[in-house]
Amino acid sequence: SQYLWLMGTFPVYKDVRNTTLLSGRFITQDDNQKRSKVCVIDEETAKEFFGASDAVGKSIRMGLFKYEVIGIMKRKVSSFSEMIEEKQPTVLPFSVVQKMTEQKYIQLLFTQAKNYEKTDEAVKQLKSALFELNITEESFRVQTLKDIISAIQRIVRILSLIIGCVASVSLL
C-alpha cells in the first residue's frame, strides 16, 4: 500500500501554482460540480503506480473508491532551492475531498499577485474577500513570500551573531 498526499482544489490551482501538465487535462469546474472521481498526479506518482505505461485513463484506489487519472503534472522544483524537488500532491476536485473528509472549511489557499510589486495590494484584496464572507481575521493567516524571506533574514542575522560570539570566546 502506498501513501498519497491529497489536495482538493479548483481549476485555477494549475495557473496559480504554475503547474505544467505533461499529459491529459486538469480538474474542471464541471468535475467540482459533479464531484467527479478523478485525479491529477505527478510524474513520480505515475511511475510508482503504473511504471512506464501511460497513467491517463487508469484508476487509483483511494479508500473505498477508484479515481480515474485524468492528468500527469510535471514535478516541481522548489523555489527556495534549485536542487530540491517538491512532492506534488495528488489533486482531486475540492468538492470530492470536502465530502471525503467532511471538512466545512478551506485549510490552505494559494493565491498569486500579478507581480512582486502588487503583493500588498493582493493581500488587501484577499482579506477583503474573506471579510465579505464573514470570516474574521482571527480565523486565518496570510503569509507571503516577502514574510518568509524576512523570517529567513532574521534567522541568518541571529545565527551570524551566535557564530560571532562563539568565535570571540574561542579566541580567548
Side-chain angles (χ1 to χ4, degrees), residues 74-125:
K74 181 173 178 48
R75 178 153 273 186
K76 290 182 79 152
V77 175
S78 173
S79 54
F80 286 111
S81 169
E82 294 299 313
M83 306 301 278
I84 300 172
E85 288 188 358
E86 293 181 27
K87 174 69 174 162
Q88 294 294 99
T90 295
V91 179
L92 294 95
F94 177 78
S95 59
V96 171
V97 173
Q98 188 178 36
K99 178 116 174 121
M100 182 189 302
T101 62
E102 298 181 0
Q103 281 189 325
K104 303 285 187 239
Y105 58 90
I106 296 172
Q107 189 171 2
L108 181 63
L109 178 66
F110 291 106
T111 61
Q112 182 175 345
K114 289 183 181 177
N115 58 49
Y116 182 79
E117 290 78 28
K118 295 192 179 217
T119 300
D120 293 336
E121 180 184 331
V123 168
K124 285 178 189 171
Q125 289 177 2

Side-chain angles (χ1 to χ4, degrees), residues 52-74:
S53 65
D54 187 12
V56 175
K58 296 190 176 159
S59 295
I60 294 178
R61 179 175 292 282
M62 293 181 239
L64 300 174
F65 301 102
K66 286 185 177 182
Y67 294 82
E68 179 187 352
V69 176
I70 59 169
I72 310 296
M73 296 180 284
K74 181 173 178 48

Side-chain angles (χ1 to χ4, degrees), residues 3 16 32 36 55 76 101 108 126 152 159 164 166:
Y3 295 94
V16 171
N32 258 304
S36 301
K76 290 182 79 152
T101 62
L108 181 63
L126 174 62
I152 291 170
L159 289 174
V166 169

Side-chain angles (χ1 to χ4, degrees), residues 158-172:
I158 291 168
L159 289 174
S160 297
L161 183 64
I162 291 170
I163 291 170
C165 290
V166 169
S168 66
V169 168
S170 68
L171 291 175
L172 294 179

